Amino acid sequence: MALKISVIGTGYLGATHAACISSLGFDVIGIDTDASKIAALQNGKVPFFEPGLEELLAEQIATGRLTFSNSFDAITDADIHFICVGTPQVKDGLAADMTYVNGALEAIAPLIKAGSLVVGKSTVPVGTAARLRARLLEINPQADLAWNPEFLREGFAVDDTLHPNRLVVGVTNDRAEELLKEVYATNLGDGVPWVRADLPTAELVKVAANSFLATKISFINAMAEICEAAGGDVTVLAKAIGYDPRIGSRFLQAGIGFGGGCLPKDIRAFMARAGELGAEQALEFLREVDSINLRARQRVIDLVRKDLSQDLVGKKVAILGAAFKPDSDDVRDSPALDIAVQIHAAGANVVVHDPKATIPASKRFPALTFTESIEECLKDAEIVLHLTEWKIYGELDPVVMKALVKNPILIDGRNMLDRSEWQKAGWHVRALGRADTNR
Ligand code: UDX
């Protein structure tokens, strides 16, 4: 008999995981305490933008294998329970807020049947899995708990879940590993590498991977600062060092840095946890990674000030992009929105365009002006900032755009636009890490 699966928490991670696991042929019940989220999902609607997910969701609901509920009672006959709830940054510090993870465990522990396996996927401080496992066994001695971190990227969530580049399972016994091998049999058949680890190592793999990625981005943004000071070009530098296979060219895109619901809060929570473990020195470099990242936002604001003669009051600033990255409507810790807010606070008339994220962005920052029209955004602007590299921005015609604005000044905060095309059309192009454009 095929395993029955429950997925607790239906945000980016849980909704994607539920639909993908269902597509592997399992019966899946998705649970969330947010009734409006469950109502949307039941009707085949994804409450956020993730390419391909809505189609997969509708397809899986139609098979009858995938259902949703806001009652935990619906999970009692499942064999495996994936915990996919959020672990945001706490309001008064760097640590991760464990309220939702702890709440999920407490809610399901008394309900699940003997022999079932709880599998944590949320990103948690190391030590959480062992603590939760002990608590689970206290309430339900016949159950077990494993950890199986998730590495999906927003914008590629479905593909990353169906075709992961590795599967990591933190287990305390062979049976837990065998059950997880049953869930991921299709991936194993495809040759996806399988790493068995103990519980703390499995938890650490996730934060170590995100710390490495954040460090790589801040490294290239630090090089961008040096290039500006020394008269170099960071895009050429990144290309040249990226040819070394030990370095690799991915995640070397210099610009306004990383944001989103994962990298910033994960490196901070990791530092906080290292402090608790008495190992804070080992992660001191992450503090620097965080500062370089936040400094990139300030450097764009400095360029805007320089170009507008230090006076932003009443000047129209057009901002292309609000999401923390393209192909996502996620605005959590978005560098683009952070810059927009700071320029607005300095008195400028900021108008923000984004193809998908204007609604979530306007909920977060109602004082900013948002538009669905690029023309309206650029009309009479005194400066244009390209801050999220949506494909449509790369396809803009700089000649047509020049006719709209008051001053043809462009800051490419992502180093993605074709600089020579924009220059040929008469634009003054500025970019982070390219000294020749910033004089
Ligand atoms: C990240 C990890 O990649 C993923 O494995 C993990 O599971 C969750 O966190 P995600 O937050 O979706 O995924 O975004 P990612 O594609 O990693 O980008 C993070 C941020 O870094 C974005 O703001 C992006 O614009 C920025 N970035 C990325 C750069 O500034 N330069 C780069 O070269 C790459």
Side-chain angles (χ1 to χ4, degrees):
M1 264 254 297
L3 295 170
K4 287 192 172 176
I5 308 232
S6 89
V7 175
I8 317 297
T10 57
Y12 279 101
L13 171 56
T16 310
H17 191 63
C20 289
I21 292 288
S22 163
S23 78
L24 298 176
F26 297 101
D27 277 348
V28 180
I29 172 88
I31 302 284
D32 205 293
T33 49
D34 181 337
S36 64
K37 215 182 251 179
I38 290 298
L41 289 166
Q42 270 166 337
N43 289 320
K45 293 269 164 263
V46 178
F48 49 86
F49 174 68
E50 181 59 44
L53 182 55
E54 200 150 278
E55 292 81 347
L56 183 69
L57 184 80
E59 180 193 298
Q60 292 309 311
I61 290 174
T63 65
R65 283 194 300 266
L66 178 60
T67 50
F68 292 93
S69 168
N70 46 26
S71 162
F72 282 102
D73 293 336
I75 67 165
T76 47
D77 65 340
D79 305 288
I80 301 193
H81 308 272
F82 284 100
I83 296 187
C84 296
V85 296
T87 51
Q89 189 173 337
V90 292
K91 289 196 172 63
D92 55 352
L94 295 183
D97 181 349
M98 298 304 293
T99 314
Y100 307 108
V101 170
N102 295 339
L105 194 275
E106 293 294 329
I108 66 173
L111 299 175
I112 62 181
K113 66 182 183 190
S116 60
L117 180 67
V118 176
V119 183
K121 287 192 87 65
S122 309
T123 304
V124 292
V126 59
T128 301
R131 172 176 64 77
L132 293 181
R133 185 165 187 274
R135 176 72 185 138
L136 174 66
L137 296 188
E138 222 175 84
I139 305 171
N140 191 334
Q142 307 292 322
D144 190 12
L145 183 139
W147 216 259
N148 169 219
E150 181 57 61
F151 305 101
L152 63 81
R153 295 160 300 165
E154 290 180 23
F156 301 90
V158 171
D159 203 46
D160 282 353
T161 306
L162 289 176
H163 309 286
N165 45 29
R166 78 287 208 189
L167 284 160
V168 178
V169 294
V171 291
T172 54
N173 54 68
D174 292 342
R175 182 176 173 273
E177 184 182 16
E178 288 314 316
L179 276 174
L180 284 165
K181 279 191 169 164
E182 225 176 302
V183 175
Y184 294 118
T186 307
N187 298 131
L188 287 173
D190 292 343
V192 173
W194 179 265
V195 182
R196 173 176 171 160
D198 52 32
L199 294 176
T201 307
E203 292 166 308
L204 282 170
V205 169
K206 174 63 192 269
V207 279
N210 275 358
S211 298
F212 190 89
L213 295 172
T215 304
K216 204 169 175 192
I217 299 169
S218 279
F219 172 81
I220 202 64
N221 283 334
M223 292 306 110
E225 291 185 37
I226 299 293
C227 281
E228 275 174 34
D233 183 330
V234 74
T235 63
V236 179
L237 182 140
K239 189 169 153 193
I241 62 172
Y243 282 124
D244 184 333
R246 293 170 303 175
I247 296 174
S249 58
R250 297 179 70 183
F251 271 67
L252 281 185
Q253 190 67 38
I256 58 171
F258 60 81
C262 292
L263 298 192
K265 66 119 177 137
D266 286 354
I267 63 168
R268 291 173 194 152
F270 198 14
M271 283 187 270
R273 185 65 185 133
E276 288 168 4
L277 294 168
E280 63 268 39
Q281 247 188 328
L283 296 187
E284 247 158 36
F285 73 97
L286 287 180
R287 212 167 279 285
E288 205 49 53
V289 165
D290 204 4
S291 324
I292 294 167
N293 191 51
L294 296 176
R295 207 152 65 219
R297 304 176 187 186
Q298 189 54 47
R299 286 163 50 230
V300 165
I301 297 166
D302 292 345
L303 283 178
V304 174
R305 284 192 180 280
K306 195 168 146 196
D307 272 321
L308 297 183
S309 317
Q310 302 301 330
D311 178 17
L312 305 190
V313 177
K315 299 201 172 145
K316 177 163 176 183
V317 177
I319 294 194
L320 296 175
F324 86 103
K325 69 175 199 183
D327 292 320
S328 168
D329 64 355
D330 195 346
V331 295
R332 286 175 294 171
D333 201 353
S334 163
L337 261 190
D338 189 11
I339 290 168
V341 166
Q342 292 194 53
I343 293 178
H344 170 78
N349 166 23
V350 174
V351 180
V352 183
H353 174 271
D354 191 285
K356 293 284 177 197
T358 51
I359 293 172
S362 60
K363 276 191 193 142
R364 206 164 270 234
F365 297 109
L368 294 177
T369 304
F370 295 92
T371 173
E372 303 285 315
S373 149
I374 295 182
E375 285 70 26
E376 207 178 288
C377 179
L378 262 63
K379 195 166 181 299
D380 299 326
E382 303 204 26
I383 191 162
V384 178
L385 275 54
H386 171 242
L387 300 184
T388 310
E389 67 277 31
W390 286 95
K391 192 163 170 270
I392 50 164
Y393 299 148
E395 292 161 354
L396 291 176
D397 182 337
V399 176
V400 177
M401 295 302 118
K402 184 165 177 268
L404 294 170
V405 297
K406 188 161 166 194
N407 294 328
I409 307 173
L410 169 75
I411 298 181
D412 184 4
R414 292 294 184 179
N415 272 310
M416 281 286 190
L417 299 178
D418 185 337
R419 178 172 60 158
S420 60
E421 281 301 307
W422 285 74
Q423 282 171 332
K424 244 191 274 161
W427 286 81
H428 302 280
V429 182
R430 314 270 182 246
L432 295 176
R434 303 176 92 174
D436 58 335
T437 58
N438 291 340
R439 288 197 187 102

